[in-house]
């Protein structure tokens, strides 16, 4: 496996969480097509899950400065 930059992964986790919340808010608007935003939100959730798995494996090795449950805002 290539070298993993934990700082980059932690930023991606936080950014994806923010994007999911943003798209959730947009999908609730009456002036938008909620299906488009729901699809994007789903794609972001899948990627967030994948990245969290990587981060979790690194956490088990003791290589992360912040535990995943503290990094996630919705944990």
């Amino acid at each position: 496996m290539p070298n993993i930059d934990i700082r980059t992964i932690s930023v991606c986790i936080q950014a994806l969480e923010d994007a999911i919340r943003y798209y959730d808010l947009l999908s609730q608007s009456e002036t938008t097509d909620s299906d488009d935003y729901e699809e994007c939100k789903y794609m972001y959730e899948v990627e967030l899950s994948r990245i969290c798995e990587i981060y979790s494996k690194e956490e088990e090795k003791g290589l992360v400065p912040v535990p995943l449950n503290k990094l996630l805002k919705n944990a």
Side-chain angles (χ1 to χ4, degrees):
M1 184 187 316
N3 290 338
I4 295 174
D5 183 357
I6 294 301
R7 289 178 296 174
T8 300
I9 291 176
S10 63
V11 168
C12 288
I13 288 171
Q14 293 169 342
L16 283 169
E17 275 195 311
D18 288 344
I20 289 167
R21 276 194 295 282
Y22 177 71
Y23 276 85
D24 191 37
L25 179 67
L26 287 177
S27 70
Q28 295 173 20
S29 173
E30 294 178 12
T31 61
T32 63
D33 182 4
S34 65
D35 290 340
D36 290 341
Y37 292 111
E38 286 295 326
E39 184 177 338
C40 289
K41 187 176 135 187
Y42 173 75
M43 291 183 338
Y44 289 158
E45 288 170 339
V46 169
E47 285 304 309
L48 178 61
S49 175
R50 188 180 70 77
I51 291 174
C52 284
E53 282 183 39
I54 294 169
Y55 194 91
S56 181
K57 287 178 184 176
E58 295 300 302
E59 183 178 8
E60 288 173 6
K61 297 176 192 174
L63 300 175
V64 300
V66 179
L68 183 60
N69 66 349
K70 293 199 185 276
L71 186 63
L72 294 171
K73 295 175 185 172
N74 295 327

